[in-house]
């Protein structure tokens, strides 16, 4: 009982600090983008601001796992948190002096993303060092619940702060959140792994070693490739929610906000239910069920009629879509944490996060022109079909592997 309480205390101490920091970072990012949008009204700058956070992940993401596996992960998390807060603090100085150039927001968001590139896989690889294997699903459910809530609450907090506080103070608040997150990690005792790597740095060979983690586990490789292909079609979907509400169903901004909250609420509800259940025996089968749920909900969104009544069906489907997303993601992360050697998890999670991050800009490049010509609902329809085909192929290949 004491051991059970011990890991929960450590896990929730870190998770609470990261949640507070995530709410603050989400609020600051919302405020920065809203400031730039209100000042410039430039779709091009907004697009660049959105893509800027993915550029560092594309170039650095696959390599940072080598450092995470070499260094003490506790120190990596602390430094990454403080680095992100420090960038916001330094940028606040420019607002005290005068109004910074609008394009500088893109640079700040890109530099801040460097901290997240280190922090996210480090947290993911620390979790199995704190949590018993049979509790990883529950722990990841709690984590997803808090993250979903943070991402839903962050813009609300950001809007409130933007209305009543000057921009420098908003940016300084991000440093406060980073200090809280770093402190919770600092006071928590985290086991450290003995270095398993060679003394000399050879990024190429060690990167190949991280890739080999996926190649050696054929089932993980199949699911990861299938998920990456699906994510190319899925990532633009949430960006199209407002367009579906305004251009397709012709409803108000209030209706559009219901869709966004429903989607986040579905993610939170799924996380809560999985945490109550606690155990998933066949994780990869559950991953496919989650992908199938995404397939069906996305496809149905694409065939709804253009009526206000049908909008409520769309809102319900988006809620189920959010739930299906976590039903796929939680067991997928837990499977990686259970099966990949701890000394290689930094590289494995960095490669996985980089692969999934690339799907966002790639998906937008494809989806934007397609939706412009054929309509946004057509993208939902096509994406649903692709999801069904890819999910079916992945499930079939996994079954073939099980029979060998």
């Amino acid at each position: 009982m004491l051991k059970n309480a011990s890991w929960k205390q450590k896990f929730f101490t870190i998770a609470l600090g990261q949640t507070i920091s995530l709410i603050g970072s989400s609020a600051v990012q919302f405020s920065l983008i809203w400031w730039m949008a209100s000042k410039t009204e430039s779709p091009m700058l907004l697009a660049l601001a959105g893509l800027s956070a993915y550029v560092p992940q594309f170039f650095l993401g696959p390599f940072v796992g080598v450092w995470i596996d070499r260094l003490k992960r506790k120190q990596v998390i602390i430094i990454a948190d403080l680095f992100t807060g420090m960038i916001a603090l330094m940028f606040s100085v420019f607002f005290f002096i005068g109004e910074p150039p609008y394009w500088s927001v893109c640079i700040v968001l890109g530099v801040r993303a460097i901290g997240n590139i280190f922090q996210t896989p480090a947290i993911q690889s620390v979790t199995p060092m704190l949590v018993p294997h049979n509790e990883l699903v529950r722990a990841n459910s709690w984590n997803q619940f808090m993250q979903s809530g943070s991402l839903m609450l962050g813009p609300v907090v950001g809007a409130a702060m933007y209305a009543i506080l000057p921009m420098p103070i908003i940016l300084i608040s991000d440093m406060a959140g980073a200090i809280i997150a770093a402190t919770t990690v600092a006071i928590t005792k985290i086991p450290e792994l003995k270095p398993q790597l060679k003394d000399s740095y050879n990024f190429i060979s060690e990167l190949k070693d991280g890739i080999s983690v996926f190649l050696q586990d054929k089932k993980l490789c199949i699911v990861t490739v299938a998920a990456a292909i699906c994510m190319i079609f899925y990532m633009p979907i949430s960006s199209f929610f407002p367009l579906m509400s305004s251009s397709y169903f012709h409803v108000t901004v209030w209706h559009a906000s219901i869709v966004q909250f429903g989607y986040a609420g579905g993610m939170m509800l799924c996380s809560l239910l999985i945490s109550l259940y606690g155990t998933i025996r066949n994780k990869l089968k559950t991953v496919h069920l989650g992908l199938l749920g995404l397939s069906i909900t996305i496809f149905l969104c694409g065939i709804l009629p253009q009526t206000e009544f049908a909008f409520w069906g769309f809102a319900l489907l988006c809620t189920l879509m959010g739930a299906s997303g976590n039903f796929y993601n939680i067991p997928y992360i837990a499977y990686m944490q259970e099966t990949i050697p701890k000394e290689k998890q930094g590289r494995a999670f960095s490669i996985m996060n980089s692969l999934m991050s690339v799907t966002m800009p790639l998906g937008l490049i494809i989806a934007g022109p397609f939706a412009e010509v054929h309509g946004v609902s057509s993208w939902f329809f096509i994406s649903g079909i692709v999801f069904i085909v890819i999910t079916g192929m992945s499930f079939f290949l996994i079954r073939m592997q099980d029979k060998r």
Side-chain angles (χ1 to χ4, degrees):
M1 183 66 71
L2 290 175
K3 185 177 180 181
N4 187 52
S6 176
W7 77 259
K8 286 184 178 180
Q9 181 181 12
K10 292 178 179 179
F11 172 81
F12 279 112
T13 298
I14 294 177
L16 180 61
Q18 294 298 318
T19 299
I20 293 172
S21 179
L22 183 58
I23 293 173
S25 294
S26 180
V28 167
Q29 182 163 320
F30 176 88
S31 299
L32 278 173
I33 292 176
W34 188 263
W35 172 79
M36 187 172 65
S38 62
K39 295 289 184 179
T40 67
E41 298 183 357
S42 170
M44 181 62 71
L45 271 179
L46 289 176
L48 288 174
L51 290 175
S52 61
Y54 293 93
V55 174
Q57 181 74 56
F58 181 76
F59 288 103
L60 299 177
F63 300 99
V64 300
V66 176
W67 279 306
I68 293 171
D69 285 337
R70 283 181 174 272
L71 303 173
K72 292 183 178 181
R73 292 170 183 175
K74 181 175 183 175
Q75 294 179 356
V76 172
I77 297 169
I78 292 172
I79 293 172
D81 281 328
L82 294 177
F83 173 82
T84 304
M86 187 62 67
I87 296 301
L89 182 63
M90 292 171 62
F91 193 49
S92 69
V93 175
F94 289 92
F95 277 95
F96 279 118
I97 297 173
E99 192 171 88
Y102 305 128
W103 51 261
S104 61
V105 172
C106 300
I107 296 177
V108 169
L109 293 177
V111 175
R112 278 166 53 88
I114 296 175
N116 293 330
I117 293 172
F118 281 87
Q119 193 258 8
T120 300
I123 285 287
Q124 289 171 326
S125 57
V126 157
T127 300
M129 298 167 65
L130 297 174
V131 179
H133 270 207
N134 63 326
E135 295 286 1
L136 280 172
V137 170
R138 179 176 277 116
N140 279 294
S141 300
W142 288 331
N143 208 20
Q144 284 294 323
F145 178 83
M146 288 183 281
Q147 284 188 20
S148 301
S150 300
L151 294 175
M152 184 168 62
L153 186 61
V156 177
V157 175
M161 293 173 69
Y162 189 84
I164 62 176
L165 295 174
M167 201 66 204
I169 303 302
I170 296 174
L171 289 165
I172 291 172
S173 70
D174 195 32
M175 187 65 199
I179 291 173
I180 292 173
T183 302
T184 58
V185 175
I187 64 175
T188 303
K189 186 177 180 181
I190 300 175
E192 292 295 343
L193 299 173
K194 295 180 180 179
Q196 299 290 323
L197 302 173
K198 300 176 183 178
D199 292 334
S200 60
Y201 284 78
N202 188 332
F203 282 104
I204 300 301
S205 64
E206 291 170 14
L207 177 60
K208 290 180 179 178
D209 196 28
I211 295 173
S212 69
V213 168
F214 294 90
L215 298 178
Q216 290 169 4
D217 188 337
K218 300 296 184 183
K219 293 191 287 187
L220 177 61
C221 184
I222 291 168
V223 171
T224 302
V225 171
I229 295 172
C230 287
M231 290 303 109
I232 294 174
F233 292 84
Y234 178 67
M235 286 300 187
I237 291 291
S238 59
S239 301
F240 287 162
F241 284 167
L243 278 176
M244 280 289 285
S245 299
S246 62
S247 301
Y248 188 76
F249 292 109
H250 303 290
V251 291
T252 65
V253 66
W254 179 78
H255 290 81
S257 67
I258 292 177
V259 172
Q260 298 288 353
F261 272 87
Y263 180 78
M267 295 176 67
M268 295 180 68
L269 180 60
C270 177
S271 300
L272 182 61
L273 292 176
I274 293 177
S275 70
L276 293 174
Y277 186 73
T279 303
I280 297 177
R281 292 184 179 180
N282 194 328
K283 293 177 180 60
L284 294 185
K285 184 177 180 180
T286 307
V287 168
H288 285 93
L289 287 174
L291 290 174
L292 180 62
L294 287 172
S295 307
I296 296 172
T297 52
I298 293 171
F299 175 79
L300 291 177
C301 286
I303 61 173
L304 289 172
Q306 290 181 272
T307 64
E308 186 173 348
F309 179 77
F311 164 80
W312 297 106
F314 175 68
L316 175 61
L317 287 171
C318 288
T319 302
L320 296 175
M321 194 186 303
S324 298
N326 267 357
F327 203 64
Y328 134 75
N329 187 55
I330 290 171
Y332 175 74
I333 297 297
Y335 180 87
M336 289 184 64
Q337 291 171 335
E338 288 181 8
T339 58
I340 298 173
K342 290 183 175 64
E343 65 273 10
K344 295 183 179 181
Q345 288 192 10
R347 281 165 286 174
F349 279 113
S350 292
I351 291 169
M352 184 271 292
N353 289 331
S354 297
L355 181 63
M356 296 304 171
S357 293
V358 169
T359 63
M360 178 61 166
L362 182 59
L364 287 173
I365 290 171
I366 300 171
F370 181 91
E372 192 75 29
V373 175
H374 302 284
V376 67
S377 63
S378 298
W379 182 257
F380 281 78
F381 177 77
I382 294 296
S383 298
I385 294 175
V386 171
F387 256 80
I388 292 170
V389 172
I390 298 298
T391 302
M393 290 175 61
S394 176
F395 184 76
F396 175 76
L397 291 173
I398 294 291
R399 289 290 298 271
M400 294 292 290
Q401 288 292 322
D402 289 335
K403 291 179 180 179
R404 291 183 178 180

